Amino acid sequence: MKKKKFSFHNVRLSKKLLIMYIFSVLIPIVLTNIIFYTVTINNVKQQQMHDSELALNQISHDFGKIIDDAVGISSSLYTNTNINLFLEKEYLSDADYVDDYNTYLRTFNQSSPINPSINSIRFYTDNPTIIYSGGVYPLTEEIKKSNWYRQIMGSSITSPIVLRSSVDDQTSTFSIIRKLDYFNFNNKQKIVKIEINPATIENIFNNVTFKGDVYLLNEKGEIEYSTKKDLGWRKKVIPFRQISNKKKADILDSTYLDQSYLLNWKLVGTVSEKKMLNTVNKSGRFILYLAFINIIIPSIIIILINRSFLRRLQRIFRHVKKMGDQNFEKIPDPEYTDEIGTLTSEFNRMIRKIEELIQDVFMANIQKQEMEIKRNRAQLSALQSQINPHFLFNALETIRMRSLMKEEIETAKIIHNMAKIFRNSLTWGKDMVTVREEINLIISFLEIQKYRFGDKLDYEIHIDHDADECIIPNMALQPFIENASIHGIEPLKENGKIEVHISIEDDLLVCKVMDNGVGMSESKTQQLIKELENENDMGKSVGIKNVYYRLKLYYQDQFHFQLDSREGEGTVIIIKIPNQTRGISKKLNF
């Protein structure tokens, strides 16, 4: 028997997926994670070193900057003639001192820029004629015994000195001290002491990016400041060598401060080996978790894909068999975009076509009969809509003639206006009219309303001469007049007024309808505007909405509609449309 040649086409789909998973997913993931783990551990250690160096340099830069700012202030005071003369002068009375204090020292404090890193500026002098207050202090015997006084007076250089000073047992800061001996008239001892804000010092040294302890060392290698709270450096002098010999440090990085008054001062940072290993171990566990996820997720995906193929193919086979029994049932699966999904979509499309053909054969005659019935009803409705207005119009004309014969002039006038309105409603196919024609229709309506309300209703109509022959859609303004009369003026207890203004502005026909009626609340106004924008729902105010949609249909984006109303004050409606004459409207097929 001849042995069959091996081919992947003879291997079952589930085995193909298993082979693909082992050689394309499992083995590459294991090898990749081993390499990734080794590289990542080394990178984490290097990154820890680099981050510590950057954080320490940042602390050094920030500390040097605030010291520089304070030294800059001391330099401005050192060369300030007014301040030196103020501290040097012999005052004959307290009033003289207060005047000079307000002139020089207070003015200096007000004109100096606010620096949040400076806690205080103090002046010390042995001038006995000065009132010691407001930042000016005497050089007492206690101060002369202090360390900072002996150090500044024993120094022969003119630059300031930087010393650590204690605010309390738990808070320390730094002070910049300088002798004010720049001028030749120095007969008194004058010293300025600028104290740095302790909170600023603490914020700088407690850098969240440095995962360890920071030490500020002076030129002797003694600790001047540290973030380690339990060290006791505030109460006694502690050399850094004593700390470094007792404690192992994985990172010992230092940076020197480059200021001349902080010569050989430096910052030292230490990170314990335990913290370093914790960071590395966390990275290692993360890599293991990631490797586990990379193995589990592909396995789940392979299983899901296998089930997706087989189950959907079996479902298609079952529905194909049902077609033999004339059961045209669609496959309820969503329309997926893979090959099986495309096959399912085509099967459902074929089922829809078969159902449509069946429906076309059986429903064609019924649809034809329904269309004939609808056509007949439409013709009948159109005929009735013509007959009824014609009948009413003829009846009104008869009543008007009899009123004239009886000399009832006012009644005849009102009936004539009503007849004009009915005649306008009978003019089918006349979509566009002139402004004058529209105004004549509005006047007829307002005269009828004035007949109803008497002196309660008054109206004014103002039309520019150039706007008379402009064309607008038929009954474009009348529904707004009707709405102002019925909903605005009629509910009023006192007299009301309707105004119509039509003018031409910037080649636009501007129509404004105003009333001083009851108006609408802001919420009701916004609701009406929202209903106008919703073209799918006519709802209430059908007349206004019909006009709004017609204008929007005619003029599209060239149509501007504005509705403003205030409760108890009235309503204003402004319509702006293109200025067009009858000749232009014919070209635009209106």
Side-chain angles (χ1 to χ4, degrees):
M1 185 176 180
K2 188 177 179 181
K3 188 177 180 180
K4 290 184 179 180
K5 186 179 180 180
F6 175 80
S7 175
F8 269 107
H9 297 296
N10 298 323
V11 180
R12 296 184 63 180
L13 183 60
S14 58
K15 293 183 178 180
K16 290 179 182 178
L17 293 174
L18 181 60
I19 293 171
M20 182 175 64
Y21 168 71
I22 293 174
F23 290 97
S24 300
V25 178
L26 182 60
I27 295 176
I29 285 178
V30 172
L31 294 176
T32 302
N33 285 327
I34 292 174
I35 298 172
F36 181 70
Y37 179 84
T38 304
V39 173
T40 301
I41 294 304
N42 293 330
N43 289 340
V44 168
K45 292 181 179 179
Q46 293 178 4
Q47 187 64 41
Q48 287 287 322
M49 294 284 292
H50 181 67
D51 291 344
S52 299
E53 292 175 359
L54 291 178
L56 205 60
N57 289 334
Q58 182 64 41
I59 296 173
S60 174
H61 174 269
D62 293 342
F63 178 74
K65 185 177 184 304
I66 64 169
I67 297 298
D68 284 339
D69 293 341
V71 170
I73 295 174
S74 71
S75 298
S76 65
L77 295 171
Y78 181 70
T79 57
N80 191 309
T81 307
N82 294 328
I83 297 296
N84 280 267
L85 288 174
F86 165 75
L87 297 173
E88 189 79 17
K89 181 178 178 181
E90 295 279 345
Y91 294 97
L92 301 178
S93 65
D94 292 345
D96 291 340
Y97 170 78
V98 171
D99 290 339
D100 283 4
Y101 178 88
N102 291 331
T103 302
Y104 299 113
L105 193 57
R106 189 184 299 276
T107 303
F108 174 81
N109 291 333
Q110 292 176 350
S111 61
S112 299
I114 298 175
N115 192 333
S117 64
I118 303 301
N119 191 41
S120 65
I121 301 177
R122 298 185 176 187
F123 296 91
Y124 293 88
T125 180
D126 57 357
N127 188 343
T129 63
I130 286 180
I131 301 174
Y132 298 110
S133 63
V136 182
Y137 298 88
L139 284 172
T140 61
E141 292 299 323
E142 182 180 357
I143 291 177
K144 291 181 179 180
K145 294 178 181 179
S146 64
N147 179 46
W148 65 265
Y149 177 82
R150 291 197 301 270
Q151 189 168 347
I152 190 66
M153 297 307 296
S155 176
S156 60
I157 59 176
T158 59
S159 61
I161 62 172
V162 180
L163 294 177
R164 173 167 57 90
S165 57
S166 297
V167 178
D168 53 39
D169 293 338
Q170 300 297 327
T171 307
S172 296
T173 185
F174 290 88
S175 298
I176 288 79
I177 306 169
R178 189 166 194 167
K179 291 186 293 185
L180 300 179
D181 57 355
Y182 177 76
F183 298 97
N184 296 326
F185 51 75
N186 291 297
N187 298 317
K188 302 288 190 301
Q189 288 188 8
K190 302 180 293 298
I191 301 173
V192 61
K193 183 180 181 183
I194 301 174
E195 185 176 274
I196 306 299
N197 193 335
T200 303
I201 299 294
E202 186 174 356
N203 290 336
I204 290 174
F205 279 85
N206 288 283
N207 192 314
V208 295
T209 59
F210 188 83
K211 308 299 181 182
D213 298 323
V214 181
Y215 302 89
L216 175 64
L217 308 181
N218 58 24
E219 69 278 3
K220 299 178 181 179
E222 299 169 345
I223 299 175
E224 291 286 348
Y225 196 93
S226 175
T227 56
K228 191 171 180 59
K229 305 298 182 182
D230 56 349
L231 194 59
W233 52 270
R234 292 186 177 90
K235 299 179 179 179
K236 61 181 179 179
V237 176
I238 300 176
F240 180 72
R241 293 190 305 275
Q242 179 181 342
I243 303 300
S244 60
N245 291 335
K246 293 181 179 181
K247 184 178 181 180
K248 293 183 179 180
D250 294 304
I251 298 176
L252 182 58
D253 191 14
S254 62
T255 176
Y256 284 87
L257 299 169
D258 56 0
Q259 287 82 353
S260 60
Y261 34 85
L262 294 175
L263 188 62
N264 294 327
W265 285 43
K266 65 178 180 179
L267 282 171
V268 176
T270 62
V271 178
S272 67
E273 184 177 358
K274 183 178 179 180
K275 290 184 178 180
M276 176 69 73
L277 292 177
N278 286 338
T279 304
V280 174
N281 291 334
K282 288 180 181 179
S283 301
R285 287 194 296 269
F286 172 77
I287 294 173
L288 293 176
Y289 296 151
L290 184 63
F292 179 77
I293 293 172
N294 288 340
I295 293 174
I296 293 299
I297 291 179
S299 301
I300 296 174
I301 292 175
I302 292 294
I303 294 172
L304 293 177
I305 292 176
N306 190 16
R307 293 182 61 189
S308 173
F309 284 163
L310 296 178
R311 292 180 64 180
R312 290 193 293 161
L313 286 173
Q314 291 173 357
R315 185 175 297 180
I316 293 173
F317 179 72
R318 288 196 302 267
H319 281 77
V320 170
K321 289 184 66 176
K322 290 180 181 180
M323 290 180 63
D325 300 328
Q326 296 185 355
N327 185 1
F328 303 105
E329 182 181 351
K330 295 180 182 179
I331 301 175
D333 284 349
E335 295 184 357
Y336 299 110
T337 56
D338 61 351
E339 289 77 6
I340 299 178
T342 303
L343 180 60
T344 304
S345 300
E346 291 298 322
F347 178 84
N348 289 337
R349 190 172 68 86
M350 180 181 65
I351 294 298
R352 285 196 300 270
K353 287 293 183 180
I354 294 173
E355 291 177 346
E356 289 174 1
L357 289 173
I358 295 173
Q359 291 294 327
D360 290 342
V361 171
F362 288 100
M363 300 298 296
N365 292 331
I366 296 176
Q367 291 178 353
K368 184 176 180 181
Q369 292 175 2
E370 289 180 352
M371 290 296 294
E372 189 67 27
I373 293 173
K374 290 180 181 179
R375 188 181 299 109
N376 293 336
R377 286 180 179 175
Q379 292 177 353
L380 180 60
S381 297
L383 183 61
Q384 289 176 345
S385 65
Q386 279 186 315
I387 293 174
N388 291 337
H390 273 298
F391 170 76
L392 291 174
F393 174 68
N394 293 333
L396 287 173
E397 280 296 317
T398 302
I399 296 172
R400 187 178 74 87
M401 293 302 297
R402 288 185 177 272
S403 298
L404 288 174
M405 292 173 63
K406 294 180 181 181
E407 297 183 355
E408 295 176 354
I409 305 302
E410 186 176 4
T411 302
K413 181 179 178 182
I414 296 304
I415 294 174
H416 178 64
N417 288 328
M418 292 180 65
K420 286 169 63 177
I421 294 175
F422 277 115
R423 184 184 295 111
N424 186 75
S425 66
L426 293 175
T427 308
W428 290 13
K430 189 176 181 182
D431 291 338
M432 308 299 291
V433 296
T434 62
V435 171
R436 177 52 58 188
E437 290 173 339
E438 181 73 11
I439 291 300
N440 290 336
L441 179 64
I442 291 173
I443 292 174
S444 299
F445 174 80
L446 289 174
E447 286 295 329
I448 294 173
Q449 294 297 93
K450 192 171 179 64
Y451 181 75
R452 288 181 58 202
F453 300 126
D455 294 336
K456 182 179 179 180
L457 174 64
D458 192 12
Y459 68 88
E460 290 183 6
I461 298 177
H462 304 278
I463 310 173
D464 288 356
H465 177 73
D466 296 337
D468 272 346
E469 296 303 319
C470 294
I471 61 167
I472 58 175
N474 189 17
M475 297 188 72
L477 301 178
Q478 193 274 339
F480 297 108
I481 303 297
E482 181 178 349
N483 193 70
S485 173
I486 296 174
H487 301 290
I489 304 302
E490 186 172 350
L492 278 178
K493 294 182 180 180
E494 62 273 6
N495 296 340
K497 186 176 183 180
I498 298 175
E499 297 184 25
V500 180
H501 298 266
I502 302 178
S503 60
I504 297 176
E505 300 176 6
D506 298 330
D507 205 25
L508 291 175
L509 184 66
V510 181
C511 305
K512 183 184 295 184
V513 178
M514 300 182 294
D515 69 78
N516 62 345
V518 295
M520 294 181 291
S521 63
E522 183 177 355
S523 60
K524 190 173 181 181
T525 303
Q526 295 299 325
Q527 180 182 358
L528 179 56
I529 294 174
K530 186 176 181 180
E531 290 177 356
L532 289 176
E533 295 174 352
N534 185 9
E535 300 182 4
N536 297 324
D537 181 21
M538 290 300 290
K540 299 179 181 179
S541 305
V542 177
I544 294 177
K545 292 180 180 179
N546 185 30
V547 173
Y548 180 85
Y549 297 151
R550 286 172 59 210
L551 292 173
K552 194 172 182 180
L553 178 63
Y554 285 139
Y555 303 106
Q556 298 179 2
D557 57 347
Q558 296 179 325
F559 158 61
H560 172 78
F561 179 83
Q562 181 179 343
L563 171 62
D564 296 320
S565 183
R566 292 187 179 180
E567 193 169 5
E569 297 183 11
T571 304
V572 179
I573 295 175
I574 301 175
I575 299 173
K576 296 181 181 181
I577 58 177
N579 176 23
Q580 297 168 347
T581 60
R582 192 173 296 276
I584 297 176
S585 67
K586 291 179 180 178
K587 294 180 182 179
L588 297 175
N589 296 322
F590 283 152

